[in-house]
Amino acid sequence: MPGPPRRSVWAALALVTAGALALRLPYLGNQSLWYDETFTRTIAVAPSITRLWHEVKASEGTPPLYYLLTWGWGKLFGIHSDAALRATSGLAGAACAPAAFLALRRLAGGGAALAAAALAAASPMLVWYSLDARAYSLLVLLSLVSIWSTSLVLERPTARRFAGWMLAAAAVVWTHYFGAFLVVAEAALLLWRLPEARGRTLAWSAVAGALAAPLIPVLSAQTDARTDFIGSLALADRLEQAGRQLAMGPNVPRAWLEVIGLALAAAAVAGGLLAARRSAPLRATALLAAVAIGLPLFLSVTDIEDRLLARNLLIAWPALAALAAVGLLRLRGVPLALYLAVGVAAIVWVEGDWRYQNPDWRGAARAAEHAPGTEPAAAFPALDAPVAAVYLGRHEVRGPVVADRILVAVEPARIGRRELAPVRSGPRLPPGFTAAWANTYRGFRLLELRAGARQAVSRAELGRDVLGDPPALLVIRRSRSGASVASASTASSGSDHAR
């Protein structure tokens, strides 16, 4: 049982938390939304919880807790911008720093727990998902809370502490289905370390399972092709990406920066595992990481349920951070300071350079503002039609459009490189059309096509995108009187940059 932290420790933790806020809140609206975030946007402005529940089952592959919180935030403060949509993720991400200290100090010691809090504050992976309107930042926070509750039960297995662990475990599963792997790891740890309380552990685990039972119909409705793409990717490549991203985030600007961070992270975890040979609490931490990673890996290898992906393994980040913090502190503060510096450099670099961010559809829409706002638009690639619809103020249609002007936007891509760059595929001039003007913006190719008279234009006539598909066609929604109105999804969200 650790003693209460000293004032100097609380002061250091306050500084670390301030740093976590500084690396997240100013950047919440820095990047445009990406494909998955557009579904969060639709859910966040649902008129009722019933509608929210329906949208989660219809469009998502994760449980509803994050969307309930974001929906509640919107009801209280409004979703008036991209930053407001990401607010719950940003605040949850910043809260991971103090939560890491509280969760890990019984398992790794006060000094290592404070170091782990610093790692949470400056982790490129955690910052990336703190700026993403998805469930992953909340998943890390609630994983930390669940581990904290587990450590309290290990310290003194009272009914109150078991109840706290049960609620935290249920909350993790309500945030992401992979949270169940962490809960299984925690239950296994309690059964191992508390043989005298095995009956109570099983009973409280059953209650946690009962609280998660309402998710069964949600999961049943979500079992379609939404995440089947994961299994089509080579497992070895996904494991490599998981290691790289958990250490340095999903999009490191330079190879040398990533190499430094990976070397430090690997050495740190190895040092923590060596220290675990002489520390029962660290062995418990290693068990949490091993089960949280090993179970989904087993399911993928056996092809029972192949859903292993870097972001889904964020449930293991807290335990890995505890081991890494111990390893970094074995050589005093120099390796820790270097790793934090590398992490902060990667974060600031990404947020300061559009080439390493989401494609800037918001800025591309501004760059095309001199084009008539009522003309149809063609978006390359078709996959990002929901994003283009948000910022261009249009909605997608499947059939041909009749027009004498068409706005074309070709999104940049990362093809064999780290940074975004223009792509050569598409567009093609339909018969009778010529390019009236062309512009480039942050890798986007923007064109306006004009014809002498209105005529029907199909998707196939405009060329193909990098995936070999014709582009998406987007039009302004017309009222019954014939007036042009913004698409329903754009108007309802209130994005400050939607046209």
Side-chain angles (χ1 to χ4, degrees), residues 125 234-251 258 262 309-311 313:
M125 183 71 158
L235 181 58
D237 291 342
R238 284 182 278 151
L239 287 171
E240 177 194 349
Q241 288 298 317
R244 292 169 64 174
Q245 292 186 24
L246 288 172
M248 285 297 293
N251 194 25
E258 186 177 33
L262 287 174
L309 205 61
R311 58 178 181 254
L313 291 182

Side-chain angles (χ1 to χ4, degrees), residues 165-166 200-212:
W165 171 72
M166 173 267 298
R200 285 180 290 166
T201 298
L202 292 173
W204 285 107
S205 299
V207 176
L211 290 179

Side-chain angles (χ1 to χ4, degrees), residues 153 156-167 204:
V153 174
R156 192 166 60 249
T158 64
R160 179 177 295 181
R161 293 189 175 193
F162 263 117
W165 171 72
M166 173 267 298
L167 291 173
W204 285 107

Side-chain angles (χ1 to χ4, degrees), residues 7 96 107 148 219 244 265 267 368 456:
R7 287 185 179 180
C96 285
L107 298 174
W148 181 17
L219 178 60
R244 292 169 64 174

Side-chain angles (χ1 to χ4, degrees), residues 115-142:
L119 295 178
S123 164
M125 183 71 158
L126 297 197
V127 170
W128 180 268
Y129 284 105
S130 295
L131 308 178
D132 185 31
R134 304 297 288 167
Y136 300 101
S137 187
L138 180 65
L139 174 64
V140 177
L141 176 61
L142 292 179

Side-chain angles (χ1 to χ4, degrees), residues 56-196:
V56 169
K57 291 197 295 184
S59 64
E60 286 299 333
T62 52
L65 181 57
Y66 169 78
Y67 307 103
L68 285 166
L69 293 176
T70 303
W71 179 84
W73 175 276
K75 291 300 181 183
L76 289 174
F77 305 106
I79 305 294
H80 303 300
S81 65
D82 296 342
L85 181 66
R86 295 169 174 147
T88 50
S89 292
L91 293 174
C96 285
F101 173 76
L102 296 171
L104 302 175
R105 71 190 190 99
R106 288 173 174 80
L107 298 174
L114 188 58
L119 295 178
S123 164
M125 183 71 158
L126 297 197
V127 170
W128 180 268
Y129 284 105
S130 295
L131 308 178
D132 185 31
R134 304 297 288 167
Y136 300 101
S137 187
L138 180 65
L139 174 64
V140 177
L141 176 61
L142 292 179
S143 296
L144 286 164
V145 173
S146 186
I147 291 174
W148 181 17
S149 302
T150 304
S151 72
L152 291 174
V153 174
L154 288 171
E155 181 182 84
R156 192 166 60 249
T158 64
R160 179 177 295 181
R161 293 189 175 193
F162 263 117
W165 171 72
M166 173 267 298
L167 291 173
V172 171
V173 179
W174 270 75
T175 303
H176 198 287
Y177 297 118
F178 265 58
F181 298 126
L182 178 62
V183 173
V184 169
E186 293 169 346
L189 176 60
L190 293 174
L191 290 170
W192 170 41
R193 295 294 302 275
L194 297 175
E196 74 282 2

Side-chain angles (χ1 to χ4, degrees), residues 244-281:
R244 292 169 64 174
Q245 292 186 24
L246 288 172
M248 285 297 293
N251 194 25
V252 187
R254 292 292 185 273
W256 60 264
L257 191 65
E258 186 177 33
V259 167
I260 295 173
L262 287 174
L264 287 168
V269 173
L273 290 173
L274 287 174
R277 295 183 304 173
R278 301 184 299 274
S279 169

